[in-house]
Amino acid sequence: MREILGRRRRLLSRRNGGKPELLGAALTFATEWQWPVLPGVAPDPQGRARCACPDPECTVPGAHPFDPGLLAATTDARMVRWWWTNRPSAPVILATGGRAPCAVSLPALAASRALALLDRRGMRLGPVLASPTRWALLVKPYSMEQLGELLYAKDFVPGSLRFHGEGGYVALPPSETGQGAVRWERAPLPGSAAPWVPDVEAVVDAVVDALTRTGVSAPEM
């Protein structure tokens, strides 16, 4: 019976243009790492830079939840299987905050240069997500009060930095969005345990310092 169900899912995935690995990735995130996930809106097949959601001005095409909404994110394996069996090409969206990781994101060029400098300094980073336009560094959950105090203490914070905390989200690999594929720039170490992630203070301090020292212009994107 298990073999028949597996064959059916593969056939359904091919018929709908989906990726079998999306279901496997979603199950790993939800059940092994206990990261709450939900399906995102797929890019519009008529134009991948557009989104299939009702907003004609959507700024994150194919990289956000819509139906169901963000509050539906779950770690329940049965729900995850049902979602991606019926929507096999849907991006995998992580609901950030709570017990799940949060993220700090910045434009891809600035991020690549900042990470290179941090590598030379020997700073330990957790998983890093990359899309063609922006990279996101996963960090430990933080509160808005904690983030506010951190930013208030700084003389300068690039306007291009974005913070994905409680009530936020990021797309996880191997999702396909309207802006291209999401991949691991720094992949989690293999194993069943949830990946280690650093504190938000360490990441923000290091990224701001790296951007300042390298003189990278990080435009809003």
Side-chain angles (χ1 to χ4, degrees):
M1 176 63 71
R2 185 176 301 173
E3 182 179 347
I4 293 174
L5 289 174
R7 187 181 303 120
R8 181 178 179 276
R9 290 192 188 100
R10 289 193 295 272
L11 289 173
L12 179 62
S13 178
R14 291 179 190 140
R15 186 159 58 245
N16 291 336
K19 287 185 172 184
E21 61 266 29
L22 282 168
L23 171 57
L27 284 170
T28 295
F29 301 141
T31 62
E32 296 183 14
W33 299 355
Q34 291 295 293
W35 289 3
V37 298
L38 75 164
V41 181
D44 188 336
Q46 301 302 318
R48 294 194 64 80
R50 299 199 307 269
C51 190
C53 76
D55 183 2
E57 305 298 327
C58 181
T59 58
V60 284
H64 68 92
F66 173 66
D67 183 16
L70 189 62
L71 292 179
T74 184
T75 58
D76 183 79
R78 293 171 299 177
M79 194 72 244
V80 170
R81 286 185 183 278
W82 188 86
W83 275 334
W84 271 275
T85 298
N86 288 277
R87 298 167 60 181
S89 62
V92 182
I93 302 297
L94 167 69
T96 54
R99 296 185 178 181
C102 294
V104 177
S105 70
L106 63 160
L109 177 60
S112 65
R113 294 181 179 177
L115 261 64
L117 179 58
L118 298 181
D119 282 343
R120 292 196 293 271
R121 295 179 178 178
M123 179 178 174
R124 183 185 181 190
L125 293 173
V128 178
L129 305 167
S131 73
T133 58
R134 294 187 72 85
W135 291 11
L137 289 72
L138 298 186
V139 297
K140 291 180 181 177
Y142 57 79
S143 67
M144 293 305 297
E145 291 79 9
Q146 181 183 6
L147 179 62
E149 292 176 1
L150 171 63
L151 299 182
Y152 182 77
K154 294 205 163 295
D155 295 327
F156 167 74
V157 176
S160 59
L161 283 183
R162 294 179 187 167
F163 298 91
H164 309 261
E166 186 77 29
Y169 58 86
V170 290
L172 296 172
S175 300
E176 290 281 348
T177 75
Q179 297 173 331
V182 180
R183 60 179 176 81
W184 294 113
E185 174 63 24
R186 302 291 170 85
L189 296 176
S192 60
W196 176 88
V197 291
D199 291 328
V200 65
E201 294 94 339
V203 168
V204 172
D205 287 345
V207 168
V208 170
D209 183 61
L211 293 178
T212 302
R213 290 179 178 273
T214 56
V216 175
S217 175
E220 293 280 357
M221 289 182 66

